[in-house]
Amino acid sequence: MIMSMRNTALITLFVLQFVVQVEAVENPRAPDNAAQEVGAIQSAAEVDRRVRSFIGNYCVTCHNADEQNGEVRLDHLAVRISNAAIAQQWRDVLDILNTGDMPPKTASKRPSQDELASVIGTLTENLVTAQKMLRGKGGETAARRLNRVEYINSVRALTGILIPERYVPADENGTEFNTLGWYQTFSPGVLEAYQGAAESAVETMLMEGRKPVQDSRLTRIDTPESRLLGRDESGKDSVRSAVKHYISDPRHKTGLLIYQAEYKWTHYKLRIPNHDFRGEYIVRARVAADESMQEELKFLRVHQEKAAPLYFSLHDAVDAPKVIEFKALADAEGTVELSNLRRSQLRPAITRAMKRGKPVPKIWIDWIEVEGPVYVGRHVQLREQLLQGVNERQIASSDARRILNRFAAIAFRGSPVQPQFIDDLVVIFEQELDTGKSPLESLVKPMAVVLTAPQFLYLTENKSHRSEEATPAPLASHEMASRLSFMLWKEPPSDVLLAAGDRLLHDRTFLESTLDAMIADPRFQHFIDEFFGQWLELRRFDEVQVDSKAKTSPLFDTKTRQAVRRQPLEFVKLIIKEDLSLTKLIDAEFSVFDRNMTGYYEDLQPYRSKASWNEFKQVQLSPQNQRRGGLLGMPAIQMIGSSGVETSPIERGAWIARTLLNSPPPPPPPNVPQLTVDPKLTVRQSLERHKQIAQCYSCHKKIDDMGLALETFDALGRWRSRYKDGTPIETAGHMPDGVRFANADDMKQRLLDHKDSMIRSLVEALIVYSLSREAEFTDQKLVDHLVRHSKDNGYRLKPLLLEFVSSKTFTHK
Amino acid sequence: MILNRRHFLASSTSLLALPQLQVAASETGKAPQRVVFLGFGFGFTEDFYATTFGSDYELTPSMESLQKHKQDFTVISNLWHKNARGAHGGTVVYLTGADAHGPTARNTVSCDQVAARYMGNETRFASIQVTTREKGGGHGGGSSLSWHENGTSMSGVAEPFRMYNMLFGGQGTPYEQRLAELQNEKSVLDAYVGNMSSLNRNASKLDRERLDHYFQSLREVEQRIAREKLWARKPKPRVDYKLPAAELDGVQEITAMYDLILLAMQTDLSRVITYRQPIVSLLQALDIKYSAHAISHYQKGEDLKKAMIVRERKQTELFASFIDRLKATKDVDGSRLFDNCLVSYGSNLRAGHMLKNVPALVTGNASGKLRHGRHVKMPQETPLCNLWLTLLQTLNSSVKQFGDSNGVLRDLFA
């Protein structure tokens, strides 16, 4: 078989991979000797020998040139996987070794558990590596559809309108990054959904944008009678008693009352008078909390559709009311909801107290002021720019052509707009007019078509050079601006960035200052949320369900969940803003908390005074709380390995292997039965059974111990020194390379020994995230360089990003 | 890829036929044959599966609700998709049998679409894909159980009220108006199609593969518009069924979809239907706090197992009532709808991560060829595609092979 130069080169790389890779060989029966074997190198020759020896001893008797049981012949199978057919054959061999069906139990010569575990481990790694190599596409970034965040931001950049998430097709990326194109499907339903979303955005911009602007006004709401509207002492029993209870509090006459947790009075829907959704409003309220409220629950919650909920602490508003203020980004109906605890396990107790006529904890609001509207939305300006020089009431086809051309030119982000396309759009405009719509209304559909065309909906680059050969070509200047903008801000490049495209490609100093400015900009939050959120796999946390009414998880409600979710990303933000080493992610002497977290986690309560309600603040950790340092000390990460009720050490260990050690465990082999949990065994004892079965052990030896070290954090990330039944928690174990650790803190030190692996994991993720493709073999040189460069620059993110975006890989296509 | 708009239509209308002008099929004789593929994720617990075989086999407690129909369905064991590499792949290849794992793999045509080639020409809808949009429902990617030849997913209708509108809505629209609406839709489509040519000039081979999905969707829309034009003169059937509410719980949702599937068959709106069933909303309706994935790993605890059993019993109960209604519904020629359809019910996986010996149940007796009332045990690792082939061949003998099928399940026949 004659192989092409490319394949030879790839195979050489593949072989070198094994020569350079460091992997210790572990003897499961002698854990203490394992430490001495750190550094043993598994070369390609070693792999070859091991696999051939196994096949020779245990398989070839029945699967050779003369005899092929089950039509399988193994004596001549190449160990080096150079094409998909060989990969498939090895996959079949591995599958059957994993199910234990081969070698057959009746065979005269069978391998020991160690031999079996060893060859399974080798074959699995071999296969994963080879499959990665075979998937290589020469580093080409393929066209992909904008994901949800990018689509919403891109539509807003063009129309000034923020489409709510639920109108946009969800990303179906599963466990992959949502910037990868290959998982994306398309169908008429998806096309329809995008067109519909675009139509509503455009319609809002065109139709609403022209309403006359209101003057800003200050309105005071003193005694909202509507609180009792429609409810009086007649009617249903429950309503009657609720009303009676409400009016029994004299304060109801001079303000409004919000009950801590009883459904009829738990919230107040503030309706902004003469609401104009295009504008923003300032809302002020004078509030006080009852002394009888639990300390940690003295707050007012402000919920708005378009923003994250705000919490105003009221523990300093018990004796005397105080004034709070916030910006209202009200929903379409102009409502903002004020409440304390909407649903909680306090409700039954409070309802009972109410029924008996007893007083219950409340928040009293003296008055509410609403000031506005103040117009800041871009849609008003964008609309003016779009309709410049045209009389809105008399849009002729030639005007429509001009408007649509203008719109498409910006929407297509540098891709050419064909005149025939505009012709087709004008036809649609005219047909809409025929149905009786106004000229402005008739522009909605053709503009929506622009926003549903691939030049808007997909991120594409000019790759005509790829049809001739596989060598990359430099990006065009607008393509560089686009890559940077979508990577750091998740939106299309601004005019300024577009104009600077050339300089960004050729002037490193300019690139550096631009990067600094982009990182300092509030829009950089998208990078933190999207890149780090996905690299840290926070989606897995989102999927954990916690029954906040259960006795096992009191009050792990929405606000706690929200705070827990934000913590790791706020920590990342701090590290970036302060230009600190990324190794702090593994362990740090400080962390960040907000008041919702210190309220929920007992061991964090000493930090209460330093924490605030709506903001995460940096807090120095005391010596006893060092266990809370770094990502592994954070509930969000710990809960990635949790069912909401019990911990999952395997998931926790696997997360560490993937994210911090860049050594993802292979997926569980298909058709292997699960081990049944024996309730009499401890968690550690249950997982010990993995050690007894060769097929399990080969992968689990690199996962289980690390997860078990975190057993001192329960299923909700709360610290515990013992299990509920009193059994002490053992935390000692081994790293995948065999080095021992005594507990989680010790494990973090061992993880710091491998900090380069974490950086490697981050860099490869960065390639996937910003270039929309897998990190391939051809990227290894760049990855090596970036890891070395990072080491030389204190492992800080900014130098790493700069080195990355100025690399040949990033600036070519 | 054909980019000239004129050629575009010409290549796709060859399969379209004029709609039947008769109102009642009884004038032509027999009722038409239909096929329904029902699929759900996560399999069942091991307790669900019967351990005895033949005609005297015993139903397990989880299958209790099917006892009254025991003589009218067949359970088949030892079927699997050898190309299904991972439990986390979901139901993506359930009806295709393809090796569609990972970035380079491609799915292929699903068996219902093969059926639609033969059975979809005389009805308003060549096929109907009913689906669910929920995340974490064990289905993986794609918009329904149905897939095109080129590996793109077929969209489905996910809400009962939407399905109702699709089947029976728009009754009052005059013909001319409907045509005008369709013409407007066509103009929009023309704009999209015409726009594609400039894109492809600057695209690499890889880009074109990605954009092909988009282009395929345009083709589908074009076919739908053309088909609707042909059917525009014929009024939609009137049914005595209320528009379902927008907010339904899991049990109501599945029940409503079964109802609508039945009505679609009875009114001959379609003869090929797939239903990608929900589980997340079902669990919520049953007040189960665990996630679907958590209970699929029921080996981890008694509570999880209990929850999984509650779900499989309820799901089977809903299926049993579907069979009830199939038997109770009169078809156009006076026979039961049950006698003129084939229904398959199953999952891509057995339990946990086990992909071998998946649940497979067949009911309905279109063509009268199947002999029900038995638990059939096939040899180990028999392709699930053999079952699909069997159903396809029962309905149309010209189908010789499907997916990785290596034969027909003769044991199902009388």
Side-chain angles (χ1 to χ4, degrees):
Chain A
M1 178 179 54
I2 301 168
M3 285 190 290
S4 66
M5 284 290 287
R6 180 170 171 270
N7 279 346
T8 316
L10 285 172
I11 289 169
T12 312
L13 267 172
F14 167 72
V15 167
L16 285 172
Q17 176 84 354
F18 272 88
V19 172
V20 172
Q21 191 177 324
V22 174
E23 190 205 79
V25 173
E26 169 145 345
N27 181 344
R29 274 194 289 268
D32 293 308
N33 290 341
Q36 295 161 13
E37 287 182 282
V38 167
I41 296 172
Q42 186 169 228
S43 65
E46 174 75 17
V47 171
D48 209 273
R49 189 196 64 76
R50 191 177 290 175
V51 174
R52 284 199 192 290
S53 147
F54 185 92
I55 301 277
N57 287 334
Y58 307 114
C59 313
V60 151
T61 325
C62 300
H63 301 287
N64 55 58
D66 303 316
E67 195 182 329
Q68 292 115 45
N69 284 14
E71 288 168 36
V72 174
R73 188 183 160 187
L74 294 173
D75 59 315
H76 68 333
L77 195 50
V79 177
R80 279 178 214 149
I81 302 173
S82 52
N83 63 47
I86 301 177
Q88 173 72 56
Q89 288 172 304
W90 282 113
R91 202 156 59 178
D92 290 339
V93 168
L94 186 59
D95 280 352
I96 211 160
L97 286 176
N98 268 321
T99 56
D101 288 337
M102 282 289 141
K105 309 246 186 309
T106 52
S108 47
K109 206 171 163 203
R110 296 198 77 239
S112 67
Q113 286 289 74
D114 290 347
E115 275 181 285
L116 189 57
S118 167
V119 84
I120 286 176
T122 301
L123 279 178
T124 306
E125 281 194 43
N126 212 27
L127 201 55
V128 168
T129 313
Q131 283 171 329
K132 210 171 164 192
M133 176 191 88
L134 292 170
R135 285 206 293 268
K137 288 182 177 46
E140 187 186 337
T141 300
R144 68 166 175 94
R145 190 161 35 96
L146 294 174
N147 62 34
R148 209 190 230 177
V149 168
E150 291 163 348
Y151 177 82
I152 290 173
N153 287 349
S154 300
V155 171
R156 184 173 50 173
L158 271 170
T159 64
I161 306 296
L162 192 65
I163 300 180
E165 261 188 19
R166 62 179 181 276
Y167 293 127
V168 181
D171 301 326
E172 289 163 352
N173 50 311
T175 55
E176 308 287 344
F177 272 80
N178 63 9
T179 50
L180 285 172
W182 60 258
Y183 73 80
Q184 292 171 329
T185 57
F186 208 86
S187 68
V190 171
L191 186 77
E192 214 178 298
Y194 277 118
Q195 194 175 308
E199 278 180 24
S200 49
V202 171
E203 184 173 21
T204 310
M205 174 211 200
L206 288 179
M207 308 311 289
E208 297 296 321
R210 68 164 170 203
K211 278 205 199 122
V213 149
Q214 293 176 37
D215 288 329
S216 181
R217 212 175 327 154
L218 180 65
T219 322
R220 177 178 277 224
I221 304 160
D222 263 326
T223 49
E225 282 104 11
S226 60
R227 193 96 172 111
L228 289 173
L229 203 62
R231 296 174 182 173
D232 55 23
E233 287 168 80
S234 62
K236 269 175 34 175
D237 266 342
S238 57
V239 176
R240 233 185 309 161
S241 69
V243 170
K244 198 165 163 203
H245 193 277
Y246 188 88
I247 61 181
S248 68
D249 187 326
R251 295 178 294 177
H252 87 274
K253 292 207 184 94
T254 56
L256 72 94
L257 296 166
I258 292 176
Y259 281 37
Q260 180 156 64
E262 192 289 324
Y263 96 92
K264 284 181 176 43
W265 309 118
T266 43
H267 59 286
Y268 174 67
K269 261 201 168 69
L270 167 68
R271 262 177 229 289
I272 293 176
N274 298 312
H275 178 241
D276 183 347
F277 84 97
R278 299 169 298 168
E280 278 179 4
Y281 296 81
I282 304 285
V283 175
R284 284 178 215 97
R286 186 166 182 263
V287 294
D290 282 355
E291 175 136 27
S292 56
M293 263 188 186
Q294 255 166 280
E295 193 57 34
E296 287 311 315
L297 299 177
K298 285 190 173 90
F299 61 82
L300 180 73
R301 179 175 177 268
V302 172
H303 185 253
Q304 314 178 70
E305 194 188 76
K306 291 189 189 150
L310 295 170
Y311 295 93
F312 291 96
S313 158
L314 297 178
H315 66 278
D316 56 345
V318 174
D319 300 317
K322 74 175 193 185
V323 177
I324 61 162
E325 186 177 293
F326 60 91
K327 203 185 283 184
L329 305 158
D331 64 17
E333 289 152 45
T335 59
V336 171
E337 190 186 276
L338 306 177
S339 61
N340 179 248
L341 296 173
R342 283 280 253 131
R343 277 172 275 268
S344 86
Q345 22 160 204
L346 295 179
R347 191 197 283 181
I350 291 181
T351 312
R352 272 196 300 272
M354 268 183 67
K355 286 213 170 89
R356 290 186 206 133
K358 293 204 163 28
V360 300
K362 305 183 193 96
I363 290 175
W364 173 66
I365 302 185
D366 186 9
W367 47 256
I368 302 176
E369 258 176 23
V370 178
E371 189 172 351
V374 170
Y375 295 94
V376 290
R378 285 268 295 153
H379 58 274
V380 175
Q381 299 146 282
L382 288 168
R383 186 180 181 281
E384 272 175 25
Q385 280 167 17
L386 186 71
L387 298 176
Q388 205 168 46
V390 173
N391 179 348
E392 285 184 32
R393 275 163 240 289
Q394 287 174 314
I395 303 177
S397 291
S398 53
D399 297 319
R401 180 181 301 277
R402 239 199 329 229
I403 292 169
L404 292 167
N405 215 350
R406 226 177 252 167
F407 189 65
I410 309 173
F412 281 14
R413 300 186 298 265
S415 287
V417 180
Q418 299 301 317
Q420 172 152 51
F421 179 57
I422 304 295
D423 288 344
D424 289 340
L425 294 181
V426 174
V427 166
I428 299 172
F429 168 75
E430 287 165 353
Q431 275 177 353
E432 292 283 285
L433 277 176
D434 282 344
T435 64
K437 295 192 173 138
S438 72
L440 213 54
E441 281 173 321
S442 304
L443 280 175
V444 172
K445 195 159 259 177
M447 282 173 71
V449 170
V450 171
L451 295 181
T452 316
Q455 291 91 329
F456 174 79
L457 208 50
Y458 283 71
L459 282 173
T460 56
E461 288 163 348
N462 186 333
K463 301 229 230 82
S464 38
H465 62 285
R466 284 270 178 179
S467 48
E468 276 128 49
E469 46 177 286
T471 32
L475 291 176
S477 55
H478 73 272
E479 290 169 345
M480 176 67 169
S482 193
R483 274 196 186 181
L484 274 178
S485 191
F486 275 104
M487 174 182 164
L488 298 170
W489 288 351
K490 286 282 135 190
E491 62 175 46
S494 63
D495 290 335
V496 172
L497 202 62
L498 276 172
D502 234 21
R503 275 189 84 187
L504 290 168
L505 281 169
H506 301 113
D507 183 346
R508 194 189 159 103
T509 322
F510 181 74
L511 180 60
E512 184 170 1
S513 56
T514 306
L515 189 63
D516 280 343
M518 290 183 87
I519 292 175
D521 190 285
R523 282 170 282 189
F524 184 69
Q525 186 66 42
H526 285 298
F527 180 80
I528 294 174
D529 292 340
E530 291 286 302
F531 173 68
F532 280 96
Q534 292 185 78
W535 179 57
L536 298 178
E537 299 180 7
L538 291 179
R539 163 197 56 79
R540 290 175 191 263
F541 165 79
D542 294 335
E543 285 167 7
V544 174
Q545 287 165 323
V546 178
D547 181 7
S548 63
K549 296 204 207 88
K551 290 206 178 68
T552 47
S553 45
L555 284 184
F556 190 91
D557 55 7
T558 320
K559 69 173 179 55
T560 316
R561 178 178 272 272
Q562 207 185 299
V564 167
R565 173 73 161 70
R566 275 181 70 194
Q567 188 195 19
L569 297 176
E570 290 286 330
F571 186 64
V572 164
K573 188 156 134 187
L574 179 69
I575 291 176
I576 298 174
K577 296 292 179 192
E578 302 284 304
D579 214 15
L580 301 172
S581 165
L582 288 165
T583 56
K584 298 275 177 220
L585 294 174
I586 299 175
D587 200 5
E589 339 75 67
F590 61 89
S591 189
V592 294
F593 302 120
D594 79 350
R595 198 65 189 253
N596 293 301
M597 285 199 73
T598 58
Y600 186 74
Y601 292 95
E602 226 179 283
D603 60 327
L604 298 182
Q605 282 182 8
Y607 305 104
R608 245 188 311 182
S609 52
K610 303 221 176 69
S612 97
W613 280 102
N614 291 318
E615 223 188 302
F616 272 80
K617 291 218 164 105
Q618 180 178 358
V619 177
Q620 204 66 16
L621 293 167
S622 66
Q624 328 65 306
N625 265 333
Q626 268 308 126
R627 59 201 181 208
R628 286 291 184 189
L631 291 171
L632 293 175
M634 299 188 184
I637 304 297
Q638 293 149 4
M639 284 177 73
I640 283 172
S642 158
S643 69
V645 177
E646 276 146 18
T647 61
S648 173
I650 296 175
E651 291 275 10
R652 288 173 172 180
W655 183 91
I656 296 173
R658 282 192 300 269
T659 314
L660 303 179
L661 291 173
N662 198 32
S663 177
N671 301 317
V672 168
Q674 299 173 79
L675 301 174
T676 328
V677 170
D678 181 347
K680 289 195 280 324
L681 300 176
T682 64
V683 174
R684 183 173 282 272
Q685 284 168 335
S686 285
L687 295 186
E688 287 277 307
R689 285 178 306 152
H690 285 151
K691 291 204 174 113
Q692 291 148 17
I693 303 166
Q695 287 92 341
C696 305
Y697 194 59
S698 60
C699 296
H700 277 271
K701 71 184 181 201
K702 297 185 191 164
I703 302 171
D704 294 2
D705 275 2
M706 295 194 293
L708 285 166
L710 293 174
E711 276 292 280
T712 44
F713 294 100
D714 74 2
L716 296 179
R718 289 176 298 195
W719 169 259
R720 58 183 179 184
S721 51
R722 289 176 177 276
Y723 288 113
K724 274 216 170 69
D725 60 3
T727 21
I729 300 175
E730 294 166 47
T731 54
H734 292 91
M735 299 292 288
D737 62 4
V739 175
R740 209 177 165 280
F741 54 78
N743 51 40
D745 287 343
D746 207 13
M747 179 176 72
K748 288 188 223 173
Q749 297 309 308
R750 303 286 69 80
L751 286 168
L752 279 170
D753 294 339
H754 294 281
K755 51 188 175 296
D756 283 3
S757 296
M758 182 191 75
I759 301 296
R760 206 170 186 92
S761 160
L762 190 145
V763 168
E764 289 190 359
L766 201 56
I767 290 175
V768 175
Y769 179 76
S770 56
L771 300 178
S772 309
R773 60 170 179 78
E774 288 190 301
E776 300 175 11
F777 264 104
T778 41
D779 293 315
Q780 291 310 303
K781 236 178 100 188
L782 172 67
V783 177
D784 291 340
H785 168 74
L786 288 172
V787 172
R788 265 195 313 268
H789 182 270
S790 187
K791 194 183 186 121
D792 296 339
N793 281 274
Y795 295 110
R796 295 169 297 131
L797 185 71
K798 276 192 219 168
L800 177 58
L801 282 180
L802 176 62
E803 193 68 9
F804 177 57
V805 301
S806 42
S807 70
K808 186 150 183 272
T809 304
F810 191 85
T811 54
H812 287 66
K813 57 185 171 177
Chain B
M1 259 194 302
I2 305 165
L3 298 167
N4 183 317
R5 272 176 264 161
R6 273 174 284 129
H7 291 155
F8 198 95
L9 249 193
S11 66
S12 54
T13 49
S14 51
L15 294 172
L16 296 171
L18 286 173
Q20 280 174 285
L21 295 175
Q22 295 101 321
V23 173
S26 57
E27 292 173 26
T28 58
K30 291 187 61 174
Q33 314 268 281
R34 296 89 159 178
V35 68
V36 181
F37 296 93
L38 306 170
F40 52 89
F42 294 115
F44 291 131
T45 61
E46 277 295 333
D47 291 6
F48 180 90
Y49 300 98
T51 46
T52 47
F53 299 92
S55 349
D56 296 321
Y57 81 106
E58 274 170 39
L59 295 183
T60 59
S62 287
M63 292 172 85
E64 227 168 38
S65 47
L66 288 170
Q67 186 66 43
K68 53 188 157 162
H69 298 302
K70 189 161 185 275
Q71 294 313 312
D72 295 314
F73 67 87
T74 307
V75 179
I76 308 145
S77 281
N78 281 332
L79 299 176
W80 80 320
H81 275 323
K82 72 170 191 284
N83 287 323
R85 288 266 142 216
H88 295 162
T91 54
V92 166
V93 298
Y94 177 58
L95 294 181
T96 72
D99 182 359
H101 212 56
T104 46
R106 215 155 218 230
N107 209 350
T108 180
V109 72
S110 51
C111 54
D112 64 299
Q113 292 306 302
V114 173
R117 283 183 205 148
Y118 304 102
M119 296 161 64
N121 302 322
E122 293 169 15
T123 49
R124 187 182 284 267
F125 300 100
S127 67
I128 295 179
Q129 290 74 250
V130 185
T131 186
T132 172
R133 253 193 271 273
E134 59 188 29
K135 273 194 156 176
H139 289 298
S143 315
S144 71
L145 288 178
S146 307
W147 295 77
H148 289 294
E149 187 76 53
N150 69 356
T152 53
S153 161
M154 287 186 72
S155 60
V157 54
E159 292 90 6
F161 77 87
R162 239 184 263 280
M163 173 133 165
Y164 183 91
N165 283 328
M166 178 181 95
L167 298 175
F168 309 115
Q171 299 266 359
T173 320
Y175 175 62
E176 280 74 24
Q177 187 183 331
R178 187 71 197 119
L179 272 190
E181 283 168 7
L182 287 171
Q183 185 46 48
N184 290 354
E185 283 184 50
K186 182 80 178 35
S187 304
V188 169
L189 184 71
D190 286 346
Y192 285 130
V193 172
N195 180 46
M196 291 298 289
S197 53
S198 60
L199 253 185
N200 286 305
R201 249 175 268 131
N202 291 334
S204 68
K205 182 162 167 288
L206 198 58
D207 291 338
R208 276 191 281 265
E209 274 174 41
R210 296 283 170 81
L211 292 168
D212 197 42
H213 291 223
Y214 184 95
F215 196 70
Q216 171 65 35
S217 301
L218 297 181
R219 276 193 105 136
E220 256 189 70
V221 174
E222 187 140 2
Q223 284 175 344
R224 181 198 40 87
I225 294 176
R227 196 183 186 97
E228 276 197 56
K229 272 201 189 140
L230 291 177
W231 280 84
R233 210 183 266 285
K234 184 158 194 227
K236 282 188 175 170
R238 287 189 186 281
V239 289
D240 196 7
Y241 191 85
K242 252 181 45 182
L243 172 71
E247 294 295 320
L248 294 174
D249 74 29
V251 172
Q252 294 164 329
E253 182 190 336
I254 296 175
T255 308
M257 285 307 201
Y258 274 142
D259 285 344
L260 291 166
I261 288 172
L262 226 123
L263 286 171
M265 288 197 286
Q266 193 192 21
T267 54
D268 211 20
L269 284 170
S270 182
R271 297 174 191 169
V272 178
I273 301 178
T274 60
Y275 182 14
R276 191 172 82 157
Q277 296 190 342
I279 181 174
V280 177
S281 54
L282 178 61
L283 294 178
Q284 279 168 1
L286 295 172
D287 229 359
I288 291 172
K289 307 268 181 260
Y290 300 109
S291 72
H293 185 247
I295 64 171
S296 78
H297 289 291
Y298 61 87
Q299 311 279 29
K300 289 192 183 166
E302 266 313 298
D303 277 352
L304 293 171
K305 189 166 185 192
K306 279 202 195 109
M308 189 68 165
I309 291 177
V310 166
R311 167 252 173 178
E312 69 194 21
R313 290 183 68 110
K314 187 64 185 179
Q315 194 179 299
T316 306
E317 201 186 290
L318 293 169
F319 175 58
S321 349
F322 179 54
I323 301 179
D324 280 333
R325 296 204 295 291
L326 280 174
K327 286 179 174 173
T329 307
K330 270 223 170 6
D331 213 338
V332 284
D333 61 359
S335 61
R336 306 175 300 174
L337 188 53
F338 179 84
D339 299 318
N340 303 310
C341 66
L342 282 178
V343 181
S344 152
Y345 178 72
S347 178
N348 61 300
L349 65 84
R350 180 182 177 79
H353 280 180
M354 189 56 80
L355 299 161
K356 284 189 180 169
N357 197 354
V358 297
L361 208 143
V362 177
T363 186
N365 206 355
S367 77
K369 294 193 188 138
L370 299 175
R371 180 159 73 88
H372 285 310
R374 296 167 298 147
H375 180 183
V376 171
K377 187 179 188 180
M378 297 307 300
Q380 283 205 4
E381 297 182 14
T382 301
L384 178 58
C385 284
N386 284 11
L387 174 60
W388 304 147
L389 177 65
T390 308
L391 297 177
L392 290 174
Q393 232 183 58
T394 304
L395 299 163
N396 189 305
S397 53
S398 60
V399 183
K400 299 292 179 216
Q401 209 269 338
F402 178 76
D404 63 340
S405 68
N406 61 15
V408 157
L409 302 178
R410 286 187 209 295
D411 297 15
L412 294 188
F413 299 126

